[in-house]
Structures are given as C-alpha cells and as structure tokens.
Amino acid sequence: MNFHTRKWIKPEDLNPNGTLFGGRLLEWIDEEAALYAIIQLENPRTVTKFMSEINFRSSAKKGDIIEIGLEPSAFGRTSLTLACEVRNKMTREVIISIDKIIMVSLDGDGNPAAHGKTETEYVKDRLEK
C-alpha cells in the first residue's frame, strides 16, 4: 500500500470524546480517493460510487500525524476500485481500513464513461511518451 497523504490532527478535527471525528477522516479518505482516481483515469469527472464496510480499528488524538494509504485492486470499464488504510505515522497502528472504494469515470452528461485504463500508470511514465 502506498501512503500518499499525511494529516496532522488539530482541535477542529476532534469529536466530543477528544479523538478524531470519524466524519472528518472519511472526508479526507474520499478526497484522497478522488484525487488518486482522477489522476489514474485522467478524468476530472470521477466520483465516488461505493464504499464497503468501514472498520474503525483505533483512533487518533490531537497532535497525532496520520497517513492515508490507497492501493488499486481492479480496473473496470468505467471504474477504479481501491483499498484504503489509514495509520498513525509514528506508531504504525492502523486506525481504519476500507476494503473497497469504487470510483467511477463520468462523461460530460454525468453518465459512466469508459476510461480505457487497465493498470496503474505513473505521471512520470506518461511524460516520457
């Protein structure tokens, strides 16, 4: 799993229990998945279609640094499926895992559109073409 993004847990990210608010974490995950899929599918009209069961395994508190990891698991005709794991950067303890996030490429009318991708591509390789 590649960990692309780090977040520093600040007071505004906490719930009444003093730990990371789950909704804030899901917002960060959704944004990171969208950015990843947009870059991979080369389509800014890529949206979240589905998230599988979300497993909160531990929490984070103010001052912790977390990192968000994503890994592609399947390319569909119009979709990209990702797995996600978030962990504490310092302790490596897993905070959350999501087995399946499905991102869908859309056309200008908002309908699913074939993207023609079958494997992970890196921007540096596209630039060499």
Side-chain angles (χ1 to χ4, degrees):
M1 180 139 332
N2 292 313
F3 290 84
H4 299 281
T5 299
R6 294 183 182 128
K7 296 285 186 180
W8 186 23
I9 309 305
K10 297 178 265 186
E12 60 267 25
D13 303 322
L14 304 178
N15 62 28
N17 189 47
T19 57
L20 178 59
F21 175 56
R24 176 78 62 168
L25 181 54
L26 291 173
E27 175 188 355
W28 292 337
I29 291 168
D30 190 39
E31 181 178 26
E32 186 68 16
L35 292 170
Y36 187 93
I38 287 166
I39 291 166
Q40 280 300 309
L41 303 181
E42 298 184 88
N43 180 0
R45 294 178 180 266
T46 300
V47 298
T48 308
K49 176 174 178 21
F50 175 83
M51 273 194 193
S52 66
E53 181 177 277
I54 299 162
N55 185 6
F56 287 94
R57 296 167 55 180
S58 66
S59 192
K61 58 188 182 309
K62 184 175 79 171
D64 284 352
I65 298 169
I66 64 168
E67 51 187 1
I68 301 170
L70 293 170
E71 184 172 88
S73 58
F75 284 82
R77 189 178 69 79
T78 64
S79 65
L80 171 59
T81 302
L82 304 168
C84 176
E85 185 175 280
V86 178
R87 65 185 181 191
N88 184 305
K89 175 66 177 163
M90 306 310 281
T91 67
R92 300 280 196 240
E93 184 176 19
V94 175
I95 295 169
I96 192 173
S97 58
I98 304 172
D99 291 335
K100 188 183 285 188
I101 302 172
I102 300 175
M103 306 300 293
V104 175
S105 178
L106 302 178
D107 63 19
D109 295 323
N111 299 310
H115 51 68
K117 306 292 181 173
T118 58
E119 62 184 25
T120 303
E121 294 179 350
Y122 298 95
V123 174
K124 67 177 181 64
D125 295 331
R126 290 180 189 153
L127 295 175
E128 292 173 0
K129 290 181 181 179

